Amino acid sequence: MNENSLKVFVNKQYSGNLTHEDEQFVFNYTDSAESVVSLTMPKRRASWNSKKLHPIFEMNMPEGALREAIKNHFAKIYKMDDLNFLKLIGPYVLGRVKFNEIIETKENLKLDAILHSPKERLFEELMQKFAIRSGVSGVQPKLLLTAQNRTTMKFEHFIVKSWEASYPQLALNEYFCMRAIQNANLPTPEFYLSDDLSMFIMKRFDINEDESYLGFEDMCVLSARGTDEKYNGSYEEIVRIIKDVVVPQKRKEALRVFFGALIMNHLLRNGDGHLKNYGVLYENDFEDTRLAPIYDVITTTIYIQNDIPALKLSDGKVWFKEKTYKDFATKSCGLMTKEYQEIVHICYNAILKTKEEIDAYKSTDKEVSAFLQKLKDAWMEKI
């Protein structure tokens, strides 16, 4: 292997080589590869060539604060292009596809110690220690950690998110938005809020009990787009991908869940439901693909007053009217009118129930109380 090449592993099996040559990225499967690196890149003898890094390899490249932290630390040693970023974070990157080598890491962290820590600026301390091991996308500061869960006594895998001054109380925002998603009977990962409200912690949903990884691909990958195109496309396109990729026996439920998530985005005023915030999971290539749980939901209009939906629906980016949603449900998602009405009714009740939970959440901090009131005021109880 030369300095412009990387070994690519799928669930610890050496499966191919990624090379940058003649101003393009080239991926070749090994003869012994058992699994695909992506549903969009089936095994074949011919190379998979791309002028930009292939979407599946770019999917979990760090962005924002995490990327800057890694870049600043290593810029004197490496030219921090895409290939060198993958060389650095490749053994630790989120998911079953890893790069360069396989490194096993074990920590003695406990989930309770993170949730209930008396330390101020704990996230910054964790960032210093774990930044290089945290290949995970998104502009929000976040880390990958393994910690012992007191309930199960197992070491489990978590994504830990913090927030910056420009997005006050983002962890609290995401926590109650995700509670609303749960109250709407939509599948979510397990999640927690730290006592000091500085961190939102989510259990990873792409790892099996035996520590093997499920395949996960977001809608950027499945629509052959790079991360910088995550606000392109439409919700109709996501539905077409679900119909193409999700196995028939799970497709109807996937469409119901996706439609419910879209209604909740409207009611919660989440303008960040972009292509990277929806995805599919699978264990056996092409045989058991299903929609991933709903994740990364926040009320964005608290920070961006006139925010709009992330993707188009019916060729527009506005807070859509009921007729638009009903047409989308029946014509695109294939739902019956009765199913549409049931889902919308459940979502309305979820908002009311979560507002009650916010009212029951007691805080002596005036800033927190004021933020929670703003959160409730931003939410819509009906379309």
Side-chain angles (χ1 to χ4, degrees):
M1 300 293 291
N2 62 46
E3 63 179 13
N4 292 322
S5 296
L6 282 175
K7 289 184 176 180
V8 178
F9 296 84
V10 178
N11 264 333
K12 300 182 181 180
Q13 187 204 38
Y14 174 38
S15 298
N17 300 305
L18 175 65
T19 305
H20 190 229
E21 56 187 27
D22 298 328
E23 298 186 352
Q24 66 177 344
F25 291 92
V26 179
F27 175 74
N28 289 288
Y29 281 104
T30 64
D31 291 338
S32 60
E34 294 181 1
S35 299
V36 298
V37 295
S38 168
L39 297 174
T40 64
M41 296 168 64
K43 287 178 285 186
R44 67 183 190 186
R45 289 193 175 277
S47 301
W48 287 97
N49 300 347
S50 176
K51 290 184 179 180
K52 297 170 65 177
L53 189 62
H54 304 75
I56 188 62
F57 302 141
E58 187 193 27
M59 183 173 70
N60 291 314
M61 289 282 278
E63 302 170 74
L66 182 58
R67 188 180 182 94
E68 285 304 306
I70 297 172
K71 183 177 179 180
N72 292 339
H73 190 78
F74 290 98
K76 289 183 179 179
I77 305 171
Y78 297 104
K79 176 186 175 183
M80 296 309 293
D81 56 17
D82 286 345
L83 207 66
N84 278 327
F85 256 106
L86 287 178
K87 285 181 181 178
L88 284 169
I89 67 169
Y92 316 106
V93 73
L94 184 77
R96 68 176 195 159
V97 179
K98 301 191 186 301
F99 305 87
N100 212 25
E101 59 182 321
I102 299 296
I103 297 177
E104 301 288 351
T105 58
K106 288 291 183 182
E107 299 296 335
N108 293 318
L109 292 172
K110 295 185 184 297
L111 179 61
D112 280 357
I114 299 172
L115 291 172
H116 310 305
S117 174
K119 289 184 179 180
E120 295 183 10
R121 308 180 70 84
L122 174 62
F123 184 82
E124 287 84 347
E125 181 181 316
L126 294 171
M127 176 73 89
Q128 289 285 331
K129 186 174 182 181
F130 296 106
I132 190 62
R133 303 185 195 177
S134 297
V136 55
S137 67
V139 296
Q140 184 180 349
K142 61 183 76 169
L143 297 167
L144 303 178
L145 296 178
T146 301
Q148 188 178 35
N149 189 328
R150 185 178 65 178
T151 304
T152 63
M153 297 307 294
K154 295 179 180 178
F155 279 88
E156 297 177 337
H157 304 269
F158 300 92
I159 297 175
V160 182
K161 303 182 186 179
S162 185
W163 44 274
E164 298 171 327
S166 52
Y167 298 99
Q169 302 298 340
L170 189 57
L172 193 62
N173 185 336
E174 185 164 2
Y175 177 79
F176 276 112
C177 284
M178 291 300 291
R179 282 293 305 144
I181 295 295
Q182 282 188 331
N183 288 334
N185 299 331
L186 299 175
T188 70
E190 193 175 303
F191 60 86
Y192 307 88
L193 181 68
S194 65
D195 287 351
D196 65 359
L197 311 184
S198 69
M199 291 178 286
F200 177 86
I201 299 172
M202 184 183 84
K203 183 179 174 182
R204 287 175 56 181
F205 52 74
D206 63 330
I207 301 179
N208 287 314
E209 290 290 323
D210 64 0
E211 297 288 306
S212 64
Y213 289 86
L214 295 170
F216 171 78
E217 298 184 32
D218 64 35
M219 294 296 167
C220 265
V221 173
L222 296 171
S223 62
R225 290 185 172 95
T227 297
D228 59 352
E229 299 176 277
K230 63 186 178 183
Y231 292 106
N232 297 347
S234 68
Y235 295 112
E236 287 97 342
E237 185 175 4
I238 292 179
V239 165
R240 288 195 293 271
I241 292 171
I242 289 172
K243 290 178 178 178
D244 285 344
V245 173
V246 172
V247 293
Q249 61 268 33
K250 297 181 182 293
R251 194 173 299 152
K252 178 78 171 181
E253 181 61 19
L255 292 168
R256 285 178 58 91
V257 168
F258 177 68
F259 179 71
L262 190 56
I263 294 297
M264 290 302 292
N265 279 348
H266 179 104
L267 300 175
L268 295 169
R269 284 305 194 250
N270 173 29
D272 209 37
H274 52 66
L275 292 173
K276 290 191 70 63
N277 283 344
Y278 302 99
V280 300
L281 289 170
Y282 57 92
E283 188 160 12
N284 302 307
D285 302 348
F286 305 103
E287 295 178 9
D288 57 358
T289 314
R290 66 266 194 196
L291 193 69
I294 305 303
Y295 58 93
D296 283 5
V297 179
I298 63 167
T299 298
T300 60
T301 55
I302 280 187
Y303 313 114
I304 307 168
Q305 186 175 359
N306 297 315
D307 201 16
I308 59 175
L311 300 173
K312 289 181 180 179
L313 180 64
S314 190
D315 209 32
K317 278 192 182 185
V318 295
W319 295 111
F320 313 107
K321 298 184 182 298
E322 185 190 13
K323 184 180 186 306
T324 305
Y325 285 119
K326 187 174 182 180
D327 286 346
F328 176 70
T330 56
K331 295 176 182 178
S332 293
C333 299
L335 303 179
M336 304 293 289
T337 299
K338 183 179 179 182
E339 292 176 299
Y340 161 78
Q341 292 170 341
E342 287 174 351
I343 292 170
V344 169
H345 181 69
I346 290 170
C347 290
Y348 290 166
N349 284 340
I351 294 295
L352 297 175
K353 183 176 180 180
T354 313
K355 284 187 175 183
E356 291 175 357
E357 292 179 7
I358 291 175
D359 289 338
Y361 183 85
K362 305 297 182 184
S363 175
T364 57
D365 188 310
K366 292 183 179 179
E367 288 187 9
V368 171
S369 296
F371 178 83
L372 290 174
Q373 186 59 52
K374 285 177 64 179
L375 193 65
K376 286 200 307 175
D377 291 343
W379 291 358
M380 308 294 292
E381 294 181 5
K382 287 192 175 182
I383 299 171

